[in-house]
Amino acid sequence: MTQYDAIVLGAGAAGLMCAARAGQRGLRVLLLERAEQPGRKILISGGGRCNFTNLGAGPANYLSANPHFAKSALARYTARDFLDLVERHGIAWHEKTLGQLFCDGSAKQIVAMLLAECERATENGGDVTLRCGEEVTEVAAEDGYTVRTRSGEYRAQNLVIATGGPSIPKMGATGFAYELARQFGLKLVEPRPALVPLTLGGDDVLFREISGVAAPVTATANKQAFSEAALFTHRGLSGPVILQVSSYWKPGDPVSVDFLPERETGWLLAAKRATPRATLRSVLREALPHRLADILAERIGIASELGNAPDAALREAETRLARWSFHPNGSEGFAKAEVTSGGIATGELSSQTMEAKKHPGLYAIGEAVDVTGWLGGYNFQWAWASGVAAGEAL
Ligand code: FDA
């Protein structure tokens, strides 16, 4: 049986980064990946251009039962550090909006960069061996850690769980990290689909008729507000703003939408004075896609000209448009969730090294851990930062 210094389970974003760092420190690292190629989620991310980090990434952009946990790793490996690496590899990039950085070319460049970083291990006497098509089925804590796949058995003093979360199972995602957590007695925060479209039923079902319509709105769930585009779909609500609030949404909660976040209070009464012959439908059509304007006007039910509508009714309409309450009956689940929130409880791990407090030599990084970023490059930044924290500690 081959002996390594460390075995990293999962060659995704966090596992590749961790293996490269550890290898460059002179360690012999084995990186085991069940898929036939590494970094599959990186390859499909950001529409194929990989939103690889966010310039504004800080602890406030993450959900976790312990919001302080991510601070240390994020401070020690920042978005600027990853950007320096990208630039050293000559990868052209651009900032889209809100600090989101993408490759100009292809996400393949990020995977190639991480593999090249793994190869650099040999410069310092280290080595990273990547074995794809190796699904880890069993781990035993015997004389360090023994890992079994269908084709082999490997041993190391250190083991890193970097198998991600179960979102998008058709990409090969698994809940294996949670199986290992249970085996080693590490507590789990209930894993839930996050950054996921929400489904509408009941009275809201009418909005499914305007599938394909998008508009910039402010959406709020559980007091957390985001301003970006919302998209109506044949199942309910999607678009960046809904994905963002979905991470804070829990079954039974409403999602409040301000359809006209730029408008100042009193705008509808001002419209009544300026254009008394206009209708609610016509003024909404000036600001919103027509199909959305029509359905909102119909639901509010003021059909008369504004000049003939009572002020109180217009004030009420304005309030409804600013706090439209949707009652999602669910989400599209792990099949469509960009990430999984929850996971291995941070209380089980050192925030400096990601090592399990109860099990020396056992580490957990990336999405497997209860740290979940907003949409916009934050999840990769956590994968890089937690991967580096463990890679430097192994
Ligand atoms: P990741 O899932 O990347 O890697 C885990 C690896 O472990 C996988 O390769 C898996 O095959 C392997 N594995 C699982 N079980 C195993 C087993 N038993 N044995 C061996 N290997 C096993 N984030 C972001 O910041 N910017 C973006 O643009 C996007 N875009 C995006 C698009 C889409 C469609 C999705 C689904 C997700 C994103 N994300 C994102 C989120 C981002 O992809 C995610 O947060 C990181 O990939 C998490 O990195 P990890 O390395 O933790 O898990």
Side-chain angles (χ1 to χ4, degrees):
M1 192 190 329
T2 326
Q3 181 82 30
Y4 295 88
D5 295 317
I7 301 176
V8 179
L9 308 184
L16 283 163
M17 187 57 137
C18 175
R21 271 295 158 125
Q24 288 171 16
R25 290 179 43 248
L27 269 58
R28 292 196 65 211
V29 182
L30 176 65
L31 183 52
L32 292 174
E33 169 57 52
R34 78 189 283 262
E36 294 302 327
Q37 62 179 150
R40 285 183 75 202
K41 279 195 183 166
I42 301 176
L43 294 173
I44 58 156
S45 68
R49 290 224 162 89
C50 185
N51 178 192
F52 55 78
T53 193
N54 192 298
L55 289 176
N61 309 112
Y62 294 85
L63 291 87
S64 172
N66 174 5
H68 301 292
F69 179 81
K71 279 185 181 167
S72 169
L74 290 171
R76 283 178 296 136
Y77 191 81
T78 64
R80 186 67 241 179
D81 291 322
F82 191 77
L83 188 53
D84 286 347
L85 184 64
V86 164
E87 289 181 336
R88 277 205 299 282
H89 283 259
I91 300 172
W93 59 274
H94 62 278
E95 180 178 346
K96 220 170 176 179
T97 49
L98 307 167
Q100 302 171 13
L101 305 192
F102 288 76
C103 299
D104 287 357
S106 158
K108 286 182 193 156
Q109 294 171 287
I110 298 293
V111 175
M113 175 188 86
L114 293 166
L115 292 174
E117 286 294 305
C118 287
E119 277 168 26
R120 278 191 52 212
T122 51
E123 292 170 17
N124 293 330
D127 182 57
V128 178
T129 303
L130 167 63
R131 295 179 69 106
C132 290
E134 289 254 30
E135 175 158 12
V136 179
T137 50
E138 211 183 315
V139 168
E142 310 158 345
D143 185 20
Y145 295 90
T146 303
V147 170
R148 292 189 188 96
T149 69
R150 286 196 180 88
S151 49
E153 193 169 296
Y154 311 94
R155 188 169 286 173
Q157 283 308 312
N158 298 292
L159 182 73
V160 183
I161 304 171
T163 50
S167 56
I168 323 260
K170 73 167 193 262
M171 296 287 311
T174 69
F176 189 62
Y178 312 144
E179 280 177 40
L180 290 182
R182 285 187 202 101
Q183 177 185 338
F184 286 99
L186 306 179
K187 285 198 190 84
L188 285 175
V189 173
E190 189 200 350
R192 293 193 305 117
L195 300 181
V196 64
L198 299 174
T199 54
L200 293 179
D203 278 356
D204 293 331
V205 86
L206 272 182
F207 283 89
R208 292 177 9 189
E209 287 167 17
I210 58 166
S211 165
V213 169
V217 304
T218 296
T220 309
N222 276 315
K223 299 196 185 125
Q224 187 71 38
F226 293 90
S227 296
E228 273 180 82
L231 171 70
F232 292 90
T233 71
H234 67 287
R235 300 196 62 189
L237 296 168
S238 187
V241 81
I242 298 302
L243 300 189
Q244 296 281 33
V245 294
S246 74
S247 300
Y248 293 86
W249 178 84
K250 292 198 185 60
D253 292 343
V255 171
S256 166
V257 172
D258 183 350
F259 282 106
L260 297 161
E262 307 291 325
R263 293 285 169 101
E264 284 178 17
T265 312
W267 70 268
L268 200 45
L269 288 177
K272 172 180 176 175
R273 282 192 294 278
T275 53
R277 305 292 305 273
T279 60
L280 178 62
R281 181 167 176 253
S282 69
V283 292
L284 287 179
R285 276 183 159 221
E286 284 166 22
L288 294 168
H290 290 183
R291 289 164 69 205
L292 175 58
D294 293 355
I295 199 169
L296 292 172
E298 190 191 310
R299 295 295 290 272
I300 291 170
I302 300 176
S304 66
E305 292 174 354
L306 293 181
N308 295 327
D311 284 4
L314 294 179
R315 269 193 218 100
E316 196 185 316
E318 204 182 289
T319 307
R320 272 190 84 185
L321 288 164
R323 281 184 237 135
W324 199 277
S325 194
F326 288 99
H327 297 273
N329 59 5
S331 80
E332 293 198 28
F334 287 116
K336 292 284 165 63
E338 206 162 295
V339 290
T340 305
S341 65
I344 298 176
T346 56
E348 303 283 1
L349 307 173
S350 152
S351 61
Q352 303 291 312
T353 63
M354 308 293 138
E355 188 174 19
K357 292 174 183 166
K358 294 181 211 154
H359 298 280
L362 180 67
Y363 296 75
I365 57 175
E367 199 177 316
V369 179
D370 172 35
V371 174
T372 308
W374 290 358
L375 186 77
Y378 300 99
N379 283 296
F380 280 138
Q381 188 55 38
W382 169 246
W384 316 136
S386 58
V388 167
E392 286 182 349
L394 284 165

